[in-house]
Amino acid sequence: MELFNLDTFSAKPSSKAAAASTSSSKGEEESYTVLAVDDTPSNLHLIKRILRRQSRLSLVTANSGHAALDEVQKQSIDLILMDMMMPGMDGVETCKEIRKLEAYEHIPIIFMTALDDTSSKVQGLAVAMDYLVKPFDADEFLARIYLHLRLLSLTRQLQVRNQQLQQEIQERELAETQLQRRNRRLVLLNDIVDDIRSTLEPKDILAVAATKIGRALEADYCCIY
């Protein structure tokens, strides 16, 4: 419901913002989808103006909490800019509903509000990851977005690596189990050979061989014909 201060925004990104954007994209060229939620059209228009030169960012907008919930379920969102004060479902309530969705349990959410008191900040940070007080500087706005997207990227890389390690551990455990089983069978086979060598009677040889082979094959019943 609060308006941004348009005087603080320059249509041309400053050298500081450009440098921050360049340094963020040097290591990777990932693209991200940002959802901006605000019931004031002029605020959404300003966010579009700030992000329009950011080639790595795609912007999706919503003018209410319910509309935001629809958007996060229709497509994959990487970061949410959430107005804290909105009629009906406010920003805090909307964030709580978004956090209930498994895919968005840890998504970066940045609150945007004119409220600067400690109580409001504490309430917002209970469900969001950051807090921007209106009117804010466009350079700071971009810097915080790229900071949280970088953290998101690192988190995703860590999750992928953990999954790879888990798979490697499972494959290693399976290989060790197969190796142990093979070793047990080799030991039983050696026992069979030793017992056969030490037995002179043919009927005894077959009985010993059947017993040992059945054990090696982990069979319930084994006979030699």
Side-chain angles (χ1 to χ4, degrees):
M1 300 181 77
E2 315 89 356
L3 293 174
F4 292 113
N5 185 349
L6 295 175
D7 294 335
T8 64
F9 172 67
S10 170
K12 182 178 180 181
S14 69
S15 58
K16 181 174 66 174
S21 174
T22 303
S23 62
S24 299
S25 60
K26 280 183 178 179
E28 56 191 38
E29 290 298 329
E30 293 183 75
S31 296
Y32 301 95
T33 301
V34 176
L35 171 62
V37 187
D38 200 306
D39 64 309
T40 304
S42 58
N43 290 344
L44 295 178
H45 178 67
L46 175 59
I47 294 174
K48 288 179 182 178
R49 289 175 59 192
I50 296 176
L51 299 185
R52 67 183 177 184
R53 295 179 182 273
Q54 306 303 310
S55 60
R56 297 170 59 206
L57 304 182
S58 298
L59 180 64
V60 178
T61 61
N63 58 10
S64 69
H66 293 291
L69 289 173
D70 290 339
E71 290 296 338
V72 297
Q73 295 183 68
K74 282 195 304 185
Q75 58 187 308
S76 178
I77 302 295
D78 298 300
L79 183 142
I80 298 176
L81 301 168
M82 180 71 68
D83 183 21
M84 195 168 183
M85 297 177 61
M86 293 185 293
M89 183 184 292
D90 64 16
V92 174
E93 187 179 353
T94 304
C95 286
K96 288 180 179 179
E97 292 300 316
I98 291 175
R99 291 291 188 213
K100 293 179 181 178
L101 303 174
E102 184 178 355
Y104 295 99
E105 188 177 356
H106 302 293
I107 187 174
I109 299 177
I110 302 176
F111 267 132
M112 306 177 296
T113 181
L115 301 175
D116 195 21
D117 59 284
T118 302
S119 177
S120 297
K121 290 181 178 180
V122 171
Q123 183 185 16
L125 291 174
V127 290
M129 291 185 177
D130 208 343
Y131 197 100
L132 278 169
V133 178
K134 305 174 186 178
F136 51 73
D137 179 74
D139 292 339
E140 180 186 5
F141 181 79
L142 287 174
R144 295 206 185 196
I145 287 177
Y146 279 114
L147 169 63
H148 287 287
L149 289 176
R150 177 59 178 162
L151 292 175
L152 176 67
S153 176
L154 292 174
T155 300
R156 288 174 174 173
Q157 291 175 28
L158 182 60
Q159 290 173 341
V160 170
R161 183 54 183 155
N162 285 341
Q163 291 174 353
Q164 292 174 342
L165 289 174
Q166 188 65 32
Q167 184 177 355
E168 290 174 6
I169 290 172
Q170 292 175 349
E171 292 174 351
R172 191 172 301 171
E173 289 176 347
L174 178 60
E176 289 177 354
T177 300
Q178 293 174 340
L179 181 60
Q180 290 173 359
R181 185 177 298 173
R182 190 175 303 165
N183 288 338
R184 284 198 301 270
R185 290 179 177 176
L186 286 174
V187 170
L188 286 172
L189 181 60
N190 289 331
D191 289 344
I192 293 171
V193 174
D194 291 340
D195 289 341
I196 291 175
R197 285 175 178 171
S198 62
T199 304
L200 298 178
E201 295 295 328
K203 61 183 183 65
D204 295 333
I205 291 175
L206 293 177
V208 169
T211 301
K212 296 287 187 176
I213 291 174
R215 224 179 269 170
L217 297 176
E218 299 178 0
D220 295 326
Y221 177 77
C222 178
C223 82
I224 297 178
Y225 176 76

